[in-house]
Amino acid sequence: MSKRGSGGTEADLLEQFKPLLKADLAIHVKKIEEIKQWLTAAREMKPATQMLLITGPSGSGKSITLKTLAQEMKYGISEWTSPVDVDLFFDDNYDFEVGEEKKRRHTQKTLFDDFLYKTSRYCSLFSTANDKLLLVKDFPNSMLTTPTEFHDSLERFRDNSVTPIVFIATDSTSKSLDIAYKLFPSAIMDSFQIHLIKFNAVSTTLMKKAIKRISSIIKEDKQISQLYQIVPSKAIEDDIITSSQGDLRNCCLNYLFSCMKCSIGPLPKRPCLDSSISKGGKKATSKSANAKVGLGLNENLTFLHWLGRIFYPKYVQHAEEVRFLHSPESITDNFMTQPSTVVSMLHSNYITRCSNIQNVSRAAEALALVDIIMKTYWHDQLALCGLNTAVRSMMSCNEPQTPHIWQQIKRKIKVQSHDKIQAKVEECVRNQIITRHVPTRVFATEYSGYVSIIQKDKLNRCQY
């Protein structure tokens, strides 16, 4: 949905309502601070803060948070946009009258490499920003099928530029469409020292804050109020927020649609069920029966709901067998974008969920096997195999019809590296034993042995 702007060009419907300051963002404060700290550290041109990956569900505020903070901190953003075939055809400068041969079109990888090289090196004469920031949200289609091309471009950028770059990837339940899973595996994240910030779905309180801000803008701006009017009731607002399922963009758009003058009629009512009849013979009227249908997304289960299906599985009688009501494969498909996170959550919570010590022992053995599978990077299917094994084993370790009480889900286990390892890394960089900062975990597992050999070799040379 777009509207005609004052200059005669089409503008985004949400463009006139976009946040201008940090206080206008309807995003969790912790995520805002994480991005702000990274942008602050990126000014120092450290290799460890050169690349950032932001992931999260659609409509969680990834792009708008980055752009708002970058504008507030005087960053000039250069965003990559993948060219289409029509643009490439007209850029060929083919002369149809003369009939000269058409020049060979550049591939998307070549254009992407040129963008990274030229944008990071050359400044615009019309820019007033203090620092530059590259943004890649629309990844080239050719690199999605061949991730090695993207990794090659990433290596060239790291070696030839110090300009910070941000990648934004939207989570997807489909493995073939998930950008973070295909282009940014764990080995690439460690090798290129890419900092990761994960966004979650927006809470109900923050979506109400965004709606309240939009309402105030409509009331104060006379030009905008000619198109919109404050008509939605409290019930409609709650219905829009509920149906959005944490998608902030979807919530704001549906609210604007409901505010438009003569744009949509009244929302249809949900049909009353004939089975909902009271003892007196009359239909029971409830809020759910008379409530209006919400605009937006279908209801989806959240992360905690899927974890509940793993820890407390339901069983059904099938012929002479007892089977799971929800198959482990279907649950695994919803966790393919973050297998290591789910396995860590199972590690943190499985002891209190098992009914007896025998089941605890079985679950511990299964998770130990999963850890070995997940640490093997030679095949991309092993992560999915390990996740499937973890989910199936945990569901099998809970007996049918076991009474459960409410227990809080503990957050995933975070392994903190020792401060001495970080000091060792900085010492090696000062002594030019290694050329750039590396993550402490990678240094402890891979670099430390080679560093000790190099140091002994230098010591022996000094003695002679």
Side-chain angles (χ1 to χ4, degrees), residues 426-443:
E426 297 177 355
E427 181 183 355
C428 292
V429 174
R430 290 194 303 267
N431 297 333
Q432 297 183 352
I433 298 177
I434 56 178
T435 57
R436 61 173 64 243
H437 288 270
V438 296
T440 54
R441 181 177 298 180
V442 176
F443 182 86

Side-chain angles (χ1 to χ4, degrees), residues 23 67 98 113 128 139 165 217 225 239 265 284 323 385 417 461:
K67 293 180 179 179
V98 180
D113 290 340
T128 58
F139 290 83
I165 185 171
I217 294 176
S225 60
D239 202 13
R323 297 185 177 181
C385 178
S417 301
R461 290 182 180 181

Side-chain angles (χ1 to χ4, degrees), residues 79-93:
E79 184 174 357
W80 159 262
T81 303
S82 297
V84 295
D85 293 339
V86 176
D87 294 333
L88 290 174
F89 178 78
F90 284 112
D91 287 342
D92 288 337
N93 298 324

Side-chain angles (χ1 to χ4, degrees), residues 19-80:
L20 301 178
L21 300 174
K22 172 185 172 182
D24 299 334
L25 292 170
I27 308 297
H28 197 279
V29 179
K30 183 178 178 181
K31 300 302 176 183
I32 297 176
E33 290 299 324
E34 286 184 13
I35 293 183
K36 186 176 181 180
Q37 290 176 3
W38 186 88
L39 291 174
T40 304
R43 290 187 186 275
E44 302 176 5
M45 300 297 182
K46 292 182 179 180
T49 58
Q50 186 182 5
M51 301 183 187
L52 171 65
L53 173 62
I54 304 176
T55 62
S58 177
S60 57
K62 303 181 293 295
S63 301
I64 193 63
T65 303
L66 176 67
K67 293 180 179 179
T68 303
L69 293 178
Q71 181 181 359
E72 195 175 69
M73 299 176 66
K74 305 300 182 182
Y75 270 97
I77 297 182
S78 298
E79 184 174 357
W80 159 262

Side-chain angles (χ1 to χ4, degrees), residues 204 208 211 231-242 255:
T204 302
K208 289 182 179 179
I211 288 180
V231 290
S233 61
K234 182 66 175 177
I236 295 179
E237 289 185 12
D238 295 340
D239 202 13
I240 290 174
I241 294 175
T242 303
Y255 183 77

